Amino acid sequence: MYRYLLRRLLQAIPVLIGTTLLIYTMVYFLPGDPARAMAGDRRQDPVVVEMIRDKYHFNDSFFSQYWHYLTGIFQGDFGTTVRGRAVGDIMAERFPWTINLALVALLIEAVVGIVAGIFAALNRGKFFDNLVLIVTLMMISIPTFVTGFILQLLVGVEWQILPVSFNERDGFKAYIMPGYVLASLSLAYVTRLMRTSLAETMRSDYVRTAVAKGLPHSRVVMRHGVRNALIPVVTFLGADLGALMGGAIITERIFNIPGVGGQLAQSVYLRERPVVIGMVTALVLIYIVGNLIVDMLYAVLDPRIRYD
């Protein structure tokens, strides 16, 4: 187990370097002069612009600039903005909102999706199964921002069940509607994936053997069926955590959540390379850790899986 963990951590290093190089390249070749963009909208003093170039190594070669950034990351320094603010402080301010939103969305899609998928698989061809297929198809077809505006109008304005926009004083209640909107697309996929996986598992030989041995139906379903059917679902959920973090931009805009999305959009406009690359790097790290946790869960769900 420990050797496997060490091997996966070592594999994460080239992934992290390759990702940061790709993002750095994309930001580096954005049109416009980053030094003039960082100096502000008004007419800039050439001396000030040149000072910014020297401070942020804009006059150096591409690989030299990338090396300065990469060595800074491994020392815990994600750089500073032109206003002198540390990128790490901006990330510490913005990431908690997005992480809370993504975790609520992940919880909604995991619980609702798995439960609905189990009941649909156990009632294949019946009313509930057809209802699940129709509803999930509608959820996949409707764009996220449309779902968000409709729920704001119905749940927030007409029925006044949940707050229309985000307010931190509402606590967990403030995350429910944005979390559902963010999770809606993945929720449909989890439901369908769980339904298909469980239906396939219930037709396996070992499940038929368990039934022939006279085990209770609930034990056959939960211990032999659901447990093995969860493996592809858990794989999807682990990969989806990163997608939820990166895809929260639209949801944060709709519900006015001060998370990563708004900051990233503003930083791209201002060409604040350290902020953009730092936040994307943090998202990549979260994605790598999420997948590592998923790999560890495989052995819990299926004892036949070994890591040595």
Side-chain angles (χ1 to χ4, degrees):
M1 176 69 79
Y2 294 110
R3 291 176 60 188
Y4 177 79
L5 272 175
L6 180 61
R7 191 164 66 244
R8 286 300 307 269
L9 290 174
L10 291 175
Q11 288 174 353
I13 294 175
V15 173
L16 180 63
I17 293 175
T19 308
T20 54
L21 178 60
L22 179 63
I23 300 300
Y24 198 92
T25 305
M26 293 170 66
V27 176
Y28 181 84
F29 288 104
L30 281 175
D33 186 348
R36 292 188 180 279
M38 295 172 74
D41 295 329
R42 292 179 297 180
R43 184 180 180 85
Q44 301 94 6
D45 186 340
V47 177
V48 173
V49 174
E50 197 58 36
M51 289 174 62
I52 292 175
R53 286 201 178 98
D54 289 338
K55 181 177 180 180
Y56 293 95
H57 310 286
F58 290 151
N59 290 324
D60 296 352
S61 66
F62 167 77
F63 287 105
S64 175
Q65 292 184 44
Y66 176 68
W67 177 252
H68 280 295
Y69 181 76
L70 195 62
T71 52
I73 286 180
F74 284 106
Q75 296 171 6
D77 179 16
F78 286 86
T80 56
T81 67
V82 69
R83 299 170 187 84
R85 191 174 183 196
V87 175
D89 292 342
I90 298 176
M91 291 165 61
E93 180 184 292
R94 298 282 186 160
F95 261 94
W97 306 114
T98 301
I99 291 174
N100 290 340
L101 175 62
L103 290 178
V104 171
L106 191 69
L107 180 66
I108 291 173
E109 73 175 78
V111 174
V112 179
I114 290 174
V115 172
I118 291 174
F119 279 101
L122 297 178
N123 296 277
R124 290 198 70 180
K126 298 181 181 178
F127 172 76
F128 185 79
D129 184 31
N130 292 324
L131 179 65
V132 165
L133 291 177
I134 293 172
V135 172
T136 52
L137 182 61
M138 291 172 61
M139 292 169 70
I140 294 171
S141 306
I142 300 175
T144 302
F145 66 92
V146 175
T147 306
F149 290 134
I150 290 175
L151 287 180
Q152 276 184 321
L153 182 62
L154 293 179
V155 181
V157 178
E158 293 291 332
W159 302 332
Q160 297 183 356
I161 299 174
L162 294 171
V164 178
S165 61
F166 179 81
N167 189 330
E168 61 179 304
R169 287 177 297 183
D170 294 326
F172 179 75
K173 198 175 177 181
Y175 288 101
I176 296 177
M177 190 156 55
Y180 173 78
V181 172
L182 180 60
S184 58
L185 182 62
S186 299
L187 172 59
Y189 287 129
V190 168
T191 304
R192 286 177 167 245
L193 186 59
M194 186 67 204
R195 172 186 175 273
T196 306
S197 179
L198 182 57
E200 286 290 327
T201 305
M202 294 301 289
R203 288 197 289 268
S204 302
D205 291 339
Y206 62 87
V207 173
R208 282 198 287 266
T209 302
V211 174
K213 289 169 63 178
L215 294 178
H217 180 67
S218 58
R219 186 175 178 184
V220 172
V221 171
M222 298 306 297
R223 185 165 183 176
H224 298 281
V226 172
R227 189 171 175 178
N228 289 285
L230 276 175
I231 293 177
V233 178
V234 169
T235 303
F236 178 86
L237 290 173
D240 198 46
L241 178 60
L244 290 174
M245 295 282 298
I249 296 175
I250 297 176
T251 307
E252 289 178 355
R253 285 283 184 174
I254 294 173
F255 292 95
N256 197 27
I257 300 175
V260 173
Q263 182 64 51
L264 265 179
Q266 180 184 356
S267 298
V268 170
Y269 175 75
L270 294 176
R271 293 174 180 77
E272 290 181 325
R273 293 180 188 174
V275 180
V276 176
I277 301 169
M279 286 191 163
V280 174
T281 302
L283 290 173
V284 171
L285 285 173
I286 292 172
Y287 185 82
I288 291 173
V289 172
N291 277 274
L292 189 59
I293 294 173
V294 167
D295 285 348
M296 296 296 103
L297 286 176
Y298 287 159
V300 177
L301 294 172
D302 190 347
R304 295 172 298 179
I305 297 176
R306 292 287 183 270
Y307 296 108
D308 296 325

